[in-house]
């Protein structure tokens, strides 16, 4: 068996006696429960959440009052790449997303494996950041003065709750997503409305909104790049939806308009929230807060009871991010196990609940280990570090997806599908790589270190999988 292993491309290309196909025949399919409404809420709920609720202050700390600009640039970069995802998901409406697309484009087992593992890690780092933010907001909401160890314990307990929901079933998960999305959306609208009331009263300082304040060692251009690299974490989530393609009704028809609609709604909300936040709260105060939007509401309406509720709204918002990201990570592993790129046990489906239970357990264990590891240093900016690592991993994957779109244009076997054109994928490659490279993105070294360790683990797992399959082939 070589790296260029056509047997592992897809079950439909396997030989009649292949293990992948035989395994698929014994397993029930995933349940199609998502229509346009649920898919839109899934996308909005996944994009909204940890990024805007927890990282607005850090973005403002990089560029000053012009915090809206990195969010706007991140939206444009995300929209460009979303078009490439739309072409591929309507062409290949299957679970596994980016890993499947790269595998079809290049037929290199190691590349497919690493893309799969990278996307999975991005979901896990995102969920881990969300769990930490959940714990911080819970402590703030109840007024608890607790240390790092208690916050860590709350975060780990929360991940066990997410595990229970995911094992229960996708129908229950997306219904919970509807509730949590409604709560987090109401929280952001609340921030906008209360800030506008404050602004209308003549109390805001709009001069801050166009003021760039950067560190002494950074130019404005590099500071915007650094802030955009971090703000991109707030825009990720649209790509998670393609991993739910096998649980969506008529995905080729509904995905294009629903994904672009979801991106547009969240992009407008992010820009409005960032403008309002900076106009209401001085940048220094915003950057130092672990719960920046709660600080905005408390400043805009001091003494108003709703300010006390915002930490809880933020808590529900980041909970939704964690739930959706763990859904994505488990479905991705299920899809690649089904394709034969990862061990077959990961595609095991509970016959009663019809959920990929092995993949759910596997991803949860990794998430809990990662949360524990990055929380060992109480001075570490855990949420921003994990959020930045998430965007780093995903931007690298997005570059690969944009290349795959161009490579797969030669495949004419698919039925009618969305077409991203030729210019957008090229722009997608350039912009994504720009925000990945250390000398252009301005990312801290810690993000590359975490990503490097995770990818090293991936390489070890790839080698184990490759050797196991080679031994299996030799024994036939």
């Amino acid at each position: 068996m070589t790296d260029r292993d056509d047997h592992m491309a897809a079950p439909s290309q396997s030989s009649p006696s292949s293990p992948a196909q035989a395994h698929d025949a014994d397993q029930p399919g995933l349940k199609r429960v998502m229509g346009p409404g649920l898919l839109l809420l899934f996308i909005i709920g996944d994009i909204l959440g940890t990024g805007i609720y927890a990282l607005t202050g850090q973005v403002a700390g990089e560029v000053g009052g012009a915090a809206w600009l990195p969010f706007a640039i991140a939206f444009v970069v995300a929209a460009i790449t979303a078009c490439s995802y739309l072409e591929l998901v309507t062409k290949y409406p299957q679970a596994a997303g980016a890993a499947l697309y790269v595998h079809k484009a290049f037929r290199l087992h190691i590349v497919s494996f690493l893309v799969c593992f990278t996307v999975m890690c991005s979901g896990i780092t995102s969920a881990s950041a969300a769990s930490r933010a959940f714990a911080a907001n819970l402590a703030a909401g109840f007024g608890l003065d607790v240390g790092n160890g208690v916050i860590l314990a709350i975060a780990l307990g929360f991940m066990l709750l997410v595990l229970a929901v995911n094992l229960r079933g996708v129908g229950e998960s997306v219904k919970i997503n509807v509730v949590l999305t409604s709560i987090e959306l109401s929280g952001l609208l609340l921030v906008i409305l209360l800030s506008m009331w404050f602004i209308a009263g003549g109390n805001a300082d709009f001069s801050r909104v166009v003021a760039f304040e950067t560190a002494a060692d950074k130019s404005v251009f590099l500071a915007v790049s650094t802030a955009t690299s971090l703000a991109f974490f707030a825009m990720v989530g649209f790509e998670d939806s393609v991993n739910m393609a096998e649980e969506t009704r008529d995905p080729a028809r509904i995905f294009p308009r629903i994904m672009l609609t979801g991106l547009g709604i969240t992009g407008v909300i992010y820009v409005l929230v960032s403008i309002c936040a900076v106009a209401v709260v001085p940048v220094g105060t915003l950057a130092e807060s672990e719960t920046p939007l709660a600080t905005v509401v408390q400043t805009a309406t001091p003494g108003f009871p709703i300010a006390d509720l915002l930490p809880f709204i933020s808590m529900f918002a980041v909970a939704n991010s964690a739930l959706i990201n763990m859904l994505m990570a488990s479905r991705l592993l299920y899809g690649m196990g089904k394709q034969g790129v990862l061990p077959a046990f990961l595609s095991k489906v509970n016959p009663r609940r019809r959920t990929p239970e092995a993949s759910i357990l596997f991803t949860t264990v990794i998430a809990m280990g990662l949360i524990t590891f990055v929380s060992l240093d109480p001075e570490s900016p855990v949420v921003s570090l994990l959020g930045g690592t998430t965007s780093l991993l995903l931007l690298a994957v997005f570059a690969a997806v944009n290349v795959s779109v161009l490579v797969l244009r030669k495949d004419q076997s698919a039925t009618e599908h969305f077409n991203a054109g030729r210019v957008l994928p090229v722009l997608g490659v350039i912009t994504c790589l720009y925000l990945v490279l250390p000398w252009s993105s301005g990312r801290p070294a810690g993000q590359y270190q975490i990503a490097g360790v995770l990818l090293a683990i991936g390489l070890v797992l790839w080698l184990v999988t490759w050797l196991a399959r080679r031994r299996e082939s030799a024994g036939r």
Side-chain angles (χ1 to χ4, degrees):
M1 179 181 290
T2 63
D3 284 355
R4 190 177 296 275
D5 187 352
D6 292 337
H7 166 69
M8 304 181 74
S12 61
Q13 294 174 330
S14 303
S15 63
S17 59
S18 70
Q21 192 175 55
H23 180 75
D24 289 344
D26 296 335
Q27 290 292 326
L30 298 181
K31 190 175 182 180
R32 294 190 183 273
V33 298
M34 300 179 71
L38 285 178
L39 182 61
L40 179 62
L41 287 171
F42 183 95
I43 293 171
I44 292 175
D46 200 5
I47 298 175
L48 296 180
T50 309
I52 192 67
Y53 273 96
L55 298 180
T56 304
Q58 282 88 340
V59 172
E62 289 289 343
V63 295
W68 55 271
L69 182 59
F71 284 109
I73 296 173
F75 165 73
V76 172
V77 174
I80 290 171
T81 298
C83 290
S84 293
Y85 268 93
L86 285 174
E87 176 167 334
L88 293 170
V89 73
T90 54
K91 200 172 185 178
Y92 311 108
Q94 303 168 34
L100 175 66
Y101 310 146
V102 172
H103 189 68
K104 285 182 175 293
F106 302 107
R107 304 293 186 189
L108 289 170
H109 182 274
I110 187 170
V111 174
S112 304
F113 189 98
L114 285 177
V115 168
C116 170
F117 197 81
T118 300
V119 176
M120 183 201 73
C121 288
S122 73
I124 291 174
T125 53
S126 179
S128 301
S131 70
R132 178 73 185 204
F134 175 92
N137 277 286
L138 186 145
F142 286 105
L144 303 177
D145 184 15
V146 295
N148 184 58
V150 175
I151 295 292
L152 173 59
I154 295 171
L156 293 176
F158 168 70
M159 285 306 303
L160 290 176
L161 179 61
V162 171
L163 167 67
V165 173
N166 279 344
L167 287 174
R168 175 75 180 173
V170 70
E172 288 78 3
S173 298
V174 295
K175 288 173 185 175
I176 291 175
N177 170 61
V178 170
V179 176
L180 295 180
T181 297
S182 300
I183 293 173
E184 65 184 325
L185 186 56
S186 68
L188 293 175
L189 293 176
L190 181 68
V191 171
I192 293 171
L193 291 174
L194 293 180
S195 297
M196 286 184 173
W197 177 267
F198 184 78
I199 292 167
N203 301 307
D205 184 358
F206 256 105
S207 65
R208 290 196 293 258
V209 175
V210 292
F212 284 94
E213 300 172 23
T214 63
D217 60 339
K218 286 185 179 180
S219 65
V220 171
F221 191 77
L222 181 59
V224 171
S225 297
T226 303
T228 301
S229 299
L230 185 57
F232 197 83
F233 175 55
M235 289 307 307
V236 300
F238 66 89
E239 80 288 344
D240 289 350
S241 62
V242 303
N243 294 296
M244 306 298 289
E246 289 188 31
E247 290 161 286
T248 302
R249 304 188 194 105
D250 198 4
R253 183 179 62 84
I254 69 173
F255 255 97
R257 61 186 175 87
I258 296 301
M259 184 183 288
L260 295 177
T261 298
L263 268 173
I265 291 171
T266 53
V268 170
I269 290 174
Y270 279 0
V271 170
L272 287 176
V273 167
S274 55
I275 289 174
C276 290
V278 172
V280 172
V281 180
V283 172
T285 304
L286 203 63
E288 292 172 1
S289 176
E290 270 198 281
T291 55
L293 298 191
T295 302
V296 172
V297 172
Q298 288 162 359
T299 303
T301 56
F304 194 56
I306 198 67
D308 297 328
L309 289 177
L310 199 67
F312 294 99
I313 294 174
S314 301
M315 189 172 69
F316 286 122
V318 297
N320 200 29
S321 293
L323 173 62
I324 293 176
N325 276 285
M326 294 306 288
L327 266 174
M328 177 277 295
S330 61
R331 268 56 180 184
L332 188 147
L333 287 190
Y334 156 80
M336 295 313 289
K338 185 178 176 182
Q339 295 292 328
V341 177
L342 289 178
F345 81 88
L346 290 170
S347 65
K348 183 180 178 182
V349 175
N350 183 294
R352 188 164 64 93
R353 293 291 179 189
R354 295 175 68 180
T355 55
E357 56 186 6
S359 294
I360 291 171
L361 291 169
F362 187 81
T363 51
T364 302
V365 169
I366 294 179
M368 295 180 72
L370 183 60
I371 296 167
T372 303
F373 174 74
V374 298
S375 298
L376 293 178
D377 180 5
E379 302 300 320
S380 174
V382 176
V383 176
S384 62
L385 188 60
L386 289 172
T389 304
T390 301
S391 68
L392 171 63
L393 292 168
L394 280 179
L395 282 163
V397 171
F398 289 174
V401 169
N402 281 303
V403 173
S404 298
V405 168
L406 299 174
V407 173
L408 290 170
R409 289 279 166 80
K410 65 179 183 292
D411 181 6
Q412 302 298 323
S413 61
T415 57
E416 184 178 353
H417 56 82
F418 183 88
N419 192 309
R422 292 193 176 276
V423 175
L424 288 180
V426 173
L427 285 176
V429 173
I430 295 171
T431 54
C432 290
L433 289 179
Y434 179 86
L435 293 174
V436 164
L437 300 174
W439 50 85
S440 55
S441 67
R443 294 177 180 276
Q447 295 179 14
Y448 294 97
Q449 291 168 357
I450 293 175
V453 170
L454 290 173
L455 292 179
I457 293 172
L459 283 171
V460 171
L461 291 176
W462 170 80
L463 182 60
V464 170
T465 304
W466 184 79
L467 290 173
R469 289 192 173 279
R470 186 173 183 177
R471 188 179 301 112
E472 179 184 332
S473 298
R476 290 179 185 171

